[in-house]
Amino acid sequence: MNNRHLLFALHQLPGIGWKTIQRLVSRFETLDDMRTLEPREWTQFGFTPGRAGQMSSALRELSERTLEDWLARYEREGIRWLTVWDADYPALLKETADPPWIIYGKGDFSLSGRLCIALVGTRTPTVYGKLTAERLGESLANAGVCVVSGMARGIDSLSHEGALRGKGGTIAVLGCGLDTVYPPENKALFHRVAEQGLLLSEYPLGTLPRAGLFPQRNRIIAGLSVGVVVVEAALQSGSLITANLALDYSRDVFAIPGPIHSAKSQGTLKLIKDGAKMVTSPDDIMEEYASRIASEHSAYIKDTKETLGIMAEDERKIYELLESGPKTIDQLLGQSQFNFGHLHAVLINLLMMRRIVELPGSAYTIP
């Protein structure tokens, strides 16, 4: 067996983590040599005596037939796997400090070579967060960007939904094996991403979701992307882990401002105070990567209106109020009868769609 197949085989065995593989790869130029290790030698890799004996037996007894059976299962599931040694392993991900030794994918692997931007945020978004994630995902995808997220409830799922309506594609990085739909209510989204985008995981088939796997998943989201956008997040949100990882990887970090009284905006507001780029329009993101946008999408940089679609009912109501002339936010509150949070969400979406512009003194007008 060659190193690539032995790495795959190691990955199928329970209890083999990233650091164990690192130690084995560092010690053995040819991984086949590890199959001769005695149980007591396996204890040097952090295994208990009982588990060391199991590892020794499993690798000594590993046969070509067993390997073929494992490989056949992945093929039946339509899953492709890449090792960190493969030429078509995602280049940006390989640059990180701890890239997955193996990634498993179902769908269009070429998306990982596109300009990828991650959208992340709370699992329990406000109406404002929901609208923003979906619209931003769609706008970025229509500009040719591949939207990366983690298919969690809330902002992640909405970002994927928006991107699927665009044409740039989307990658969902899972915290479990590709044979598990999590959360269960995302079953339809799971299959749509597999058909129109890419499902990705570093975990072998049969791996069930558990809390400790999701922070590890976040490093892949950050590693695949040139930038991470935090859409809506509280101060303790796990999406801030992804933003911090992006900084560690020298990637760009963006944040969308929200109402100062909303707990769900405190994480993004802090990021902005700490130096993240504030986003009030997709152009705030796209201008950072203008030279990498494909020529067929260059018109987006000049005028995003062509990719915006139809305004929602509440957006049209505010737009029509502004047709008579500029108005302050207080005037809009009184005339629309919206509450502040909802009005703020509608205004942000109209700004992102470039249907309106903000004037000094918290006033708005049609350009």
Side-chain angles (χ1 to χ4, degrees):
M1 298 183 194
N2 60 33
N3 275 2
R4 188 172 184 272
H5 281 154
L6 280 166
L7 180 58
F8 172 85
L10 268 177
H11 223 238
Q12 310 311 304
L13 300 176
I16 300 290
W18 192 94
K19 290 182 179 179
T20 300
I21 294 177
Q22 171 67 35
R23 288 194 288 265
L24 289 168
V25 169
S26 298
R27 178 169 171 179
F28 298 106
E29 183 175 344
T30 302
L31 287 181
D32 200 50
D33 293 342
M34 71 182 175
R35 300 176 68 188
T36 64
L37 290 176
E38 297 292 337
R40 58 181 171 75
E41 294 176 285
W42 277 105
T43 61
Q44 299 172 15
F45 295 93
F47 292 100
T48 63
R51 183 74 187 112
Q54 294 172 355
M55 279 297 302
S56 178
S57 297
L59 287 170
R60 285 175 183 272
E61 295 168 8
L62 178 65
S63 65
E64 293 282 356
R65 177 61 184 272
T66 300
L67 177 62
E68 290 171 3
D69 288 344
W70 284 341
L71 292 171
R73 183 186 177 194
Y74 283 84
E75 188 173 353
R76 286 195 303 272
E77 296 282 348
I79 295 170
R80 182 184 175 196
W81 56 278
L82 293 173
T83 76
V84 72
W85 303 316
D86 293 332
D88 43 0
Y89 187 95
L92 273 180
L93 186 58
K94 190 181 291 189
E95 291 176 3
T96 61
D98 52 353
W101 292 102
I102 292 184
I103 51 174
Y104 306 92
K106 188 170 187 176
D108 184 1
F109 246 110
S110 71
L111 291 174
S112 64
R114 291 246 196 113
L115 176 67
C116 293
I117 294 175
L119 300 186
V120 297
T122 177
R123 286 176 168 78
T124 54
T126 63
V127 172
Y128 161 68
K130 292 176 181 178
L131 289 170
T132 304
E134 210 162 353
R135 286 291 175 85
L136 184 57
E138 183 176 5
S139 294
L140 290 175
N142 274 326
V145 170
C146 178
V147 173
V148 180
S149 201
M151 205 182 274
R153 296 179 178 93
I155 296 298
D156 286 22
S157 296
L158 292 160
S159 299
H160 291 306
E161 291 281 6
L164 286 169
R165 291 200 295 270
K167 53 192 175 185
T170 189
I171 298 175
V173 185
L174 309 185
C176 55
L178 295 182
D179 55 343
T180 300
V181 178
Y182 186 82
E185 63 265 28
N186 274 355
K187 183 176 181 180
L189 177 60
F190 178 97
H191 291 297
R192 286 175 61 210
V193 173
E195 292 170 2
Q196 302 174 43
L198 175 64
L199 295 172
L200 206 63
S201 176
E202 69 173 317
Y203 302 112
L205 293 175
T207 304
L208 298 177
R210 61 179 188 272
L213 302 185
F214 293 100
Q216 293 298 308
R217 178 273 313 270
N218 291 346
R219 85 186 196 284
I220 302 176
I221 294 174
L224 287 167
S225 309
V226 296
V228 170
V229 184
V230 184
V231 176
E232 189 177 49
L235 282 172
Q236 303 302 318
S237 173
S239 58
L240 300 188
I241 296 174
T242 312
N244 288 330
L245 286 166
L247 290 174
D248 290 343
Y249 299 156
S250 299
R251 310 297 161 80
D252 298 321
V253 176
F254 305 85
I256 296 177
I260 61 173
H261 61 273
S262 171
K264 297 291 175 64
S265 296
Q266 297 310 302
T268 52
L269 293 173
K270 184 178 186 303
L271 285 173
I272 292 168
K273 288 169 67 175
D274 291 345
K277 183 173 181 178
M278 182 170 65
V279 174
T280 59
S281 161
D283 283 353
D284 293 332
I285 302 168
M286 300 308 303
E287 67 186 10
E288 299 293 327
Y289 313 107
S291 62
R292 293 192 54 185
I293 301 299
S295 58
E296 64 265 28
H297 301 295
S298 61
Y300 174 87
I301 301 298
K302 300 175 183 176
D303 186 1
T304 57
K305 291 182 180 178
E306 296 177 3
T307 66
L308 296 174
I310 300 172
M311 286 185 283
E313 181 180 347
D314 288 349
E315 293 162 352
R316 181 161 294 283
K317 181 175 182 178
I318 297 301
Y319 185 86
E320 290 172 352
L321 288 174
L322 292 173
E323 285 183 320
S324 61
K327 288 182 173 57
T328 67
I329 195 165
D330 288 337
Q331 290 173 318
L332 291 171
L333 279 169
Q335 294 177 28
S336 69
Q337 297 299 302
F338 294 165
N339 64 47
F340 179 81
H342 183 54
L343 176 61
H344 189 266
V346 173
L347 289 170
I348 285 288
N349 280 309
L350 288 170
L351 285 167
M352 292 178 66
M353 295 164 66
R354 299 183 67 83
R355 296 296 177 96
I356 65 172
V357 294
E358 187 172 4
L359 301 173
S362 297
Y364 298 86
T365 190
I366 295 172

